[in-house]
Amino acid sequence: MSSATLMAFWAFSLLFVFTPGADWAYAIAAGIRGRGVMAAVGGLLAGYVVLTLVVAAGFGMLIAGNRLVMLALTVFGALYLTWLGISLLRNPPVPRAVVDNSTGSDRARLFLRGALVSGLNPKAFLFFLAFLPPWTNVAAAWSLSTQIVVLGLLYTTSCAVVYSIVGIGAGAMLATRPAAARVVGRVSGLMMLALAVLLLCKESAWL
């Protein structure tokens, strides 16, 4: 795999990284609370690593080819986004002290939720399944699985930088604006609900 291919894929993937979605909403909510931003982002990244390994191992095609499994994944992902969205609407995040006083269990919970947000997102799964293999080369010295892992980790690295900036930036800009923070938190909740509805609508159109 040439460096030119990696650079081209990186530039292409940035279009998706910079598109706001459930990941952005989750990172922003964590940033507003002023704690656990890196745990939340780490969870999002862990979900992407799992998706990369699933596609690289060849299970991606089996899952995508099974309508029942894809339906279950879509419905479960939509329900999880709905639960997070309603939680943000009912209890919007408010700025806290700059000092991170979150406990280990708090960070673990934020990490797990982040992993579920990205790992259960059918849109993210289909992105990895549809856009990673075309950038591989059967004539390359690396195996196809290795190439997919490298591409997936490159995408995940971009997400790490962007989501960290988004989360920390949200906290910094809204640290002294609790009213604005609540509005942004509720907007993030509405975004998650909209994405959940969109997932279900697309799934119903495919049936």
Side-chain angles (χ1 to χ4, degrees):
M1 179 175 288
S2 67
S3 58
T5 299
L6 290 175
M7 288 300 296
F9 171 79
W10 176 71
F12 170 79
S13 64
L14 283 180
L15 297 175
F16 294 88
V17 177
F18 280 111
T19 301
D23 293 352
W24 276 58
Y26 187 69
I28 289 172
I32 292 175
R33 290 189 173 93
R35 59 187 178 85
V37 176
M38 300 317 297
V41 172
L44 293 172
L45 302 179
Y48 284 140
V49 171
V50 171
L51 290 179
T52 298
L53 296 178
V54 166
V55 174
F59 294 117
M61 290 298 296
L62 295 177
I63 296 174
N66 189 314
R67 291 294 304 137
L68 185 59
V69 173
M70 283 301 299
L71 175 61
L73 178 63
T74 300
V75 172
F76 193 59
L79 290 176
Y80 187 68
L81 287 177
T82 299
W83 177 74
L84 285 179
I86 293 175
S87 298
L88 286 173
L89 289 176
R90 295 181 60 186
N91 185 28
V94 293
R96 297 194 178 186
V98 175
V99 178
D100 191 342
N101 294 319
S102 56
T103 64
S105 60
D106 290 334
R107 293 191 182 94
R109 185 165 53 251
L110 288 168
F111 180 92
L112 179 60
R113 288 182 178 179
L116 292 175
V117 167
S118 57
L120 291 177
N121 188 348
K123 178 182 176 183
F125 172 69
L126 292 176
F127 167 81
F128 276 74
L129 185 63
F131 293 108
L132 295 189
W135 293 87
T136 61
N137 184 353
V138 293
W142 295 348
S143 67
L144 292 179
S145 296
T146 301
Q147 293 178 64
I148 289 176
V149 169
V150 170
L151 293 172
L153 293 180
L154 179 59
Y155 177 83
T156 303
T157 300
S158 299
C159 290
V161 175
V162 173
Y163 296 166
S164 297
I165 293 175
V166 168
I168 295 173
M173 289 188 294
L174 300 172
T176 58
R177 303 177 179 86
R182 290 189 181 91
V183 171
V184 173
R186 289 193 172 100
V187 169
S188 297
L190 289 174
M191 184 183 298
M192 289 188 176
L193 290 176
L195 289 171
V197 172
L198 181 61
L199 284 175
L200 293 177
C201 288
K202 284 188 175 181
E203 183 62 33
S204 63
W206 292 339
L207 293 176

